[in-house]
C-alpha cells in the first residue's frame, strides 16, 4: 500500500510585501495620494475585510488595484476600527433602563497597534523595489512614516488572507 504525504510548507510561503503606514489621513484621501505618487490606481473595494471577535463583528476598509501588466495586486488596508456594543444598565438607580454604547478598538494585525494602514503588494513574479515604494510613500504630506514589515514577525498572518 502506498503512503501519501502532504507537505504543508508551501502553504506557509509568503508571496507578498507589507508596508506599514502611520498617518492621520482618511482612507480615501490616502488612496488618492498614493495613486499620485505610484503608478497604480487604487479604488474602493466592495469586499471589505471582515473580522469576528468576542465583542462583535467589524469590517476594515480596503482599496484594491490589480496591475495586469506586472501581475501584481495592491491592497491598501485599514488596520484600526471600532466595534460598538449595546449594553443595558441593570442597576436600580436614577438612570436605570438606560442603554449604553460601549466602543472597543479592534485591529486587523493586533501586534501592530500603532499602524494606521497597511499596503500589501502580492503575487510577485518579478522582484519589486520595496525601498523605493517606501521612500515615495514617505514623501506624501501627512504620512508620519512608512516602513517595510518583516512578514515572518507577523503573528496573525491569517487576517491577511482575503
Amino acid at each position: 500500500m502506498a503512503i501519501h504525504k502532504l507537505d504543508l510548507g508551501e502553504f506557509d510561503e509568503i508571496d507578498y510585501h507589507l508596508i506599514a503606514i502611520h498617518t492621520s489621513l482618511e482612507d480615501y484621501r490616502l488612496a488618492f495620494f498614493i495613486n499620485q505618487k505610484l503608478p497604480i490606481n487604487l479604488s474602493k473595494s466592495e469586499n471589505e475585510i471582515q473580522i469576528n471577535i468576542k465583542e462583535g463583528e467589524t469590517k476594515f476598509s480596503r482599496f484594491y488595484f490589480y496591475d495586469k501588466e506586472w501581475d501584481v495586486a495592491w491592497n491598501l488596508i485599514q488596520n484600526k476600527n471600532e466595534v460598538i456594543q449595546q449594553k443595558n444598565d441593570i442597576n436600580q438607580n436614577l438612570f436605570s433602563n438606560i442603554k449604553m454604547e460601549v466602543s472597543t478598538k479592534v485591529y486587523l494585525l493586533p501586534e501592530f497597534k500603532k499602524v494606521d494602514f497597511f499596503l500589501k503588494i502580492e503575487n510577485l513574479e518579478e522582484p519589486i523595489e520595496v525601498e523605493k515604494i517606501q521612500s515615495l510613500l514617505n514623501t506624501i504630506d501627512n504620512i508620519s512614516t512608512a516602513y517595510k514589515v518583516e512578514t515572518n514577525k507577523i503573528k496573525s498572518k491569517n487576517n491577511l488572507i482575503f
Side-chain angles (χ1 to χ4, degrees):
M1 179 182 270
I3 297 175
H4 297 283
K5 290 185 179 181
L6 293 176
D7 182 18
L8 299 177
E10 66 186 48
F11 292 112
D12 290 338
E13 188 175 314
I14 296 174
D15 64 341
Y16 60 84
H17 293 290
L18 197 63
I19 298 175
I21 301 172
H22 295 260
T23 183
S24 59
L25 291 170
E26 293 290 327
D27 54 1
Y28 63 93
R29 292 195 47 148
L30 180 61
F32 174 76
F33 290 131
I34 290 174
N35 287 342
Q36 288 183 327
K37 292 288 182 179
L38 300 175
I40 61 176
N41 189 17
L42 291 167
S43 60
K44 180 85 169 165
S45 174
E46 291 181 12
N47 300 325
E48 293 182 326
I49 301 163
Q50 181 176 333
I51 300 287
N52 293 319
I53 57 169
K54 63 182 178 187
E55 289 88 5
E57 173 184 305
T58 188
K59 294 181 180 180
F60 295 92
S61 69
R62 175 180 173 213
F63 287 76
Y64 179 77
F65 173 70
Y66 180 72
D67 188 350
K68 293 178 185 173
E69 181 181 342
W70 296 99
D71 193 33
V72 175
W74 298 76
N75 287 284
L76 178 65
I77 312 154
Q78 177 185 22
N79 187 44
K80 299 177 181 179
N81 208 345
E82 291 185 350
V83 173
I84 298 175
Q85 295 176 286
Q86 299 286 334
K87 290 194 175 184
N88 290 328
D89 188 9
I90 56 172
N91 295 333
Q92 295 295 327
N93 59 24
L94 181 62
F95 302 105
S96 63
N97 297 329
I98 293 179
K99 292 189 179 196
M100 298 184 336
E101 287 187 350
V102 178
S103 175
T104 306
K105 277 222 184 250
V106 181
Y107 302 93
L108 182 67
L109 298 180
E111 57 269 29
F112 298 101
K113 290 185 177 181
K114 295 189 179 187
V115 175
D116 298 305
F117 294 93
F118 289 104
L119 184 62
K120 181 182 176 190
I121 309 165
E122 60 186 327
N123 300 340
L124 304 169
E125 297 293 324
E126 301 284 325
I128 193 163
E129 297 178 13
V130 179
E131 290 78 21
K132 185 177 180 182
I133 294 169
Q134 175 186 328
S135 64
L136 285 171
L137 290 175
N138 279 318
T139 63
I140 297 174
D141 291 338
N142 296 324
I143 287 185
S144 302
T145 186
Y147 54 89
K148 183 179 181 198
V149 174
E150 294 298 324
T151 50
N152 57 359
K153 295 186 179 178
I154 301 172
K155 295 177 187 169
S156 48
K157 292 177 185 166
N158 292 341
N159 291 352
L160 292 173
I161 300 173
F162 41 84

